[in-house]
Amino acid sequence: MDTVDRLIALDRQHVWHPYSAMPNPLPVFAVRAAKGVRLELEDGRSLIDGISSWWTCIHGYSHPRLNQAAQRQIEKMSHVMFGGLTHRPAVELAQKLIEITPEPLQHVFFSDSGSVAVEVAMKMAVQYWHNRALPHKHKFLTLRSGYHGDTFAAMSVCDPVNGMHPLFNGLLAKQYFADAPQIRFDQPWQERDIASFEALLKAHHQQIAAAIFEPVVQNAGGVRFYHPEYVRRASELCKQYNVLLILDEIATGFGRCGKLFACEYAGISPDIMCVGKALSGGFMSLAATLTTTHISKTFASGEAGVFMHGPTFMGNPLACAVALENLRLLESYDWPAKIAAIEAQLKAELAICRSLKAVKDVRVLGAIGAIELHQPVDMARVQPQFVDRGVWLRPFGRLLYTMPPYIIEPHELRQVTAAMYEVAALL
Ligand SMILES: *Cc1c(COP(=O)(O)O)cnc(C)c1O
């Protein structure tokens, strides 16, 4: 491979990127290496990654502790099958996850991506009711503006508009959609916000296996921060109507919103929880679905006698070893103080964006800062404007947002927020 131009030309010809078209995809930038908060491009430019490679690399790239954990594990084995075999990395990571998640969650099912963790959660819920001789409970209740992944079951509970349901009409299971929560994180709670959720439960609980949603922050569905009381009330209603609660903490988990898990804001524990994204610190693809003993113990007596799922690369030792080190790393410093500092800086520095005519709203929670625009952004135009300012961001829809690595320094975050202001000012 010779020049950077040729690399990009070949990429454009053959390589399909996320949410893009062939054969004339949106522009891409070639990365040569990444270290700390920085991406180093093939053309020599250096960018501060303001979205942590889709919210994953919370401790930055090429962290020495994660690299060492991977190297140590490679010397032993990078992968073995998980059927009939087990290993220290998976067992120790499971123990760690059980220790840091709410107490009722006692069992961990590993998988290789968030979407699959959601599929597993949904299958678990359906099979649970099957085990309890209530097989007609196989529908799901979810929230508008949600996002849970790109596979078919996950897509069925994504927002029907953003999730492009009409495209797969007939293939997607029909689920129940409550109105998206409207009361914001810091506004006074009003009971009417939960009315649509409650009405759907009341009318259809006999068909519903579980409610599934992202607690407190709907991320890919529009970076919406909503009231924790919604989560608490939803949890209460699920119990009342004999419906399981699945919380998708794939984006919110591991400190991003200021608590280790967003459900802590509501003081509740789900029946099933999905984690992914930041689990391995962005090092490798790894996800997990956690559940309670109450759920798991019904499986042995059910018709199948087992839970019917088992990915080939389940519990990959290399990914588990790195994830375990990532969680130890997270525990090794005062991350809540770091998130609080990022939050305070984002609030202070993004506030002036409110005065821009293209801007509809500015909001910040934990290490998430979003500028909502009146009009959708033209990615092909906006992306290079960020790159020109030495910053990597990936706006979508009407949102310019940042979810920086926790290790970002104030002067680096300052460069990100300045770029957000400048780009929004050009709109
Ligand atoms: C990213 C995401 C997923 C899907 O995870 P993948 O690893 O992309 O399959 C599911 N749920 C939420 C809340 C997410 O943010």
Side-chain angles (χ1 to χ4, degrees), residues 55 112-116 118 147-150 214 219-220 248-252 277 285:
W55 331 337
D112 17 83
S113 76
S115 301
V116 174
V118 168
Y147 176 80
H148 299 284
D150 291 346
E214 301 152 276
N219 258 306
D248 181 346
E249 294 253 16
I250 291 168
T252 49
K277 289 212 163 86
S285 184

